[in-house]
Amino acid sequence: MSPAVESAPARLGPRIETRRLGRWTVHAIQAGGQKLDGGAMFGVVPKPLWQKRILPDERNRIQLGMRCLLIEHDIGPVLIDTGAGNKETEKFYEIYAVENRGERGPTALEDGLFEIGVRPEDVALVINTHLHFDHAGGNMVLETDGRLRPAFANARYVVQSGEYAFATHTNERTAGSYFPHNFVPLAEANRYDFIEGNREIVSGIRSVHTPGHTPWHQSLLLESDGARALYLGDIIPTTAHLPLPWIMGYDVEPLVTLETKRRILSRAAAEDWLLIFEHDARTAWGKLNEALGAVMGARG
């Protein structure tokens, strides 16, 4: 597989992209941008190759998005991942070039929700693919008086039980990605529903254990009236990561990532899944084109 070459540094795509998936309406919400080191994002792939896909800036960083997904579900709005949140220091935001400040709410995620007519308190369920700061940072909000509160007052939160254990028992390699204030207060308040492995979370939304980036990373398989989509999370963060060996240096088990990608891409091709890319700056979703080995922009 070989994704299309970019001729200029990526810019963030629209804040909101909306499509039908079976009987559901789904909204891809760009919850802000960030930049990470290109070498770290592509692991053992040499720079002369990866920079043909995404050009780095003068600090060798590539532009990434933080795309969350809002599903208009029968139980109410279901949100997958929550971006980076508003709780970190200015130095942190500068290092990672996080640009996610909101105009109507604490971050761009809340602004996106308002834009589609959803208030944070309307969200019924939040599902975390995993608990890294750029996927679960928006679980909790820092108030101006310094207090922390759940960002979605009436929602239950869902994550793999193994991921929570991994996030709360870090080592020198993993501690920089897990910030307890994003998830421990929710667990202490009994707001999390911990699940194990592959299972239906609510009707039509199934967890798919996709290990490699972390041992208990999960992707979410959505199915409605025969249409299927997989929200990939960090197992394939951008379209440039579709080739099997193009694996992030951030992955704690890269050889496991390789086999996970082999499995899910084979199934995606066989079952005509829509793939949803969390970190791609411009491409929200697409289907595998076997003839070209690339991602095609899927029409809503």
Side-chain angles (χ1 to χ4, degrees), residues 243-285:
L244 292 180
W246 289 48
I247 293 168
M248 290 190 288
Y250 296 114
D251 288 15
V252 298
E253 299 175 313
L255 295 181
V256 175
T257 296
L258 178 68
E259 297 309 317
T260 297
K261 289 174 66 175
R262 193 190 312 277
R263 169 172 53 88
I264 63 172
L265 288 174
S266 174
R267 213 179 146 193
E271 300 180 15
D272 195 35
W273 290 355
L274 181 75
L275 300 177
I276 305 173
F277 300 95
E278 186 159 6
H279 282 308
D280 199 291
R282 294 186 297 184
T283 301
W285 35 45

Side-chain angles (χ1 to χ4, degrees), residues 31-33 66 83-86 93 98-102 105-111:
M66 292 184 287
N86 74 332
Y93 289 121
V98 173
E99 296 181 351
N100 73 334
R101 285 186 174 84
T107 75
L109 173 58
E110 287 82 5
D111 285 1

Side-chain angles (χ1 to χ4, degrees), residues 3 37-47 49-51 53-54 62 64 237-243 245-250:
D37 182 83
M41 282 299 297
F42 289 104
V44 299
V45 178
K47 184 176 181 179
L49 295 182
W50 63 253
Q51 71 178 356
R53 314 301 185 202
I54 307 178
I62 62 171
L64 300 169
T238 77
T239 58
H241 290 84
L242 280 167
W246 289 48
I247 293 168
M248 290 190 288
Y250 296 114

Side-chain angles (χ1 to χ4, degrees), residues 42 44 60 96 114 182 214 219 232 240 261 266-267 282:
F42 289 104
V44 299
N60 206 49
Y96 295 103
F114 286 129
N182 291 330
T214 73
S219 303
L232 291 158
K261 289 174 66 175
S266 174
R267 213 179 146 193
R282 294 186 297 184

Side-chain angles (χ1 to χ4, degrees), residues 31-210:
Q34 64 175 329
K35 292 182 180 180
L36 296 178
D37 182 83
M41 282 299 297
F42 289 104
V44 299
V45 178
K47 184 176 181 179
L49 295 182
W50 63 253
Q51 71 178 356
K52 294 178 181 179
R53 314 301 185 202
I54 307 178
L55 287 177
D57 67 11
E58 69 282 354
R59 295 170 65 177
N60 206 49
R61 303 176 303 180
I62 62 171
Q63 180 68 62
L64 300 169
M66 292 184 287
R67 186 175 289 105
C68 306
L69 194 72
L70 192 285
I71 303 151
E72 295 186 17
H73 194 275
D74 296 341
I75 70 165
V78 174
L79 180 65
I80 305 178
D81 279 354
T82 61
N86 74 332
K87 298 182 297 301
E88 310 313 326
T89 65
E90 289 301 319
K91 181 179 180 180
F92 172 89
Y93 289 121
E94 194 279 329
I95 290 172
Y96 295 103
V98 173
E99 296 181 351
N100 73 334
R101 285 186 174 84
E103 297 174 359
R104 299 180 60 187
T107 75
L109 173 58
E110 287 82 5
D111 285 1
L113 290 172
F114 286 129
E115 190 171 322
I116 61 176
V118 174
R119 301 170 301 168
E121 59 267 30
D122 296 333
V123 174
L125 185 68
V126 175
I127 306 172
N128 292 137
T129 58
H130 61 302
L131 295 173
H132 284 172
F133 67 78
D134 53 338
H135 297 259
N139 287 355
M140 300 287 294
V141 169
L142 181 65
E143 299 280 27
T144 55
D145 62 6
R147 291 183 299 172
L148 287 175
R149 64 167 175 81
F152 306 97
N154 298 312
R156 298 293 298 174
Y157 291 70
V158 174
V159 75
Q160 291 281 326
S161 59
E163 173 67 12
Y164 186 82
F166 192 70
T168 52
H169 295 81
T170 57
N171 56 33
E172 294 84 352
R173 172 68 170 75
T174 62
S177 297
Y178 289 115
F179 302 163
H181 58 207
N182 291 330
F183 43 85
V184 169
L186 291 167
E188 291 177 343
N190 194 31
R191 297 287 297 274
Y192 260 120
D193 294 323
F194 295 112
I195 62 173
E196 295 185 6
N198 301 339
R199 55 157 287 183
E200 188 170 62
I201 299 171
V202 292
S203 176
I205 303 179
R206 173 170 290 274
S207 63
V208 179
H209 181 211
T210 47

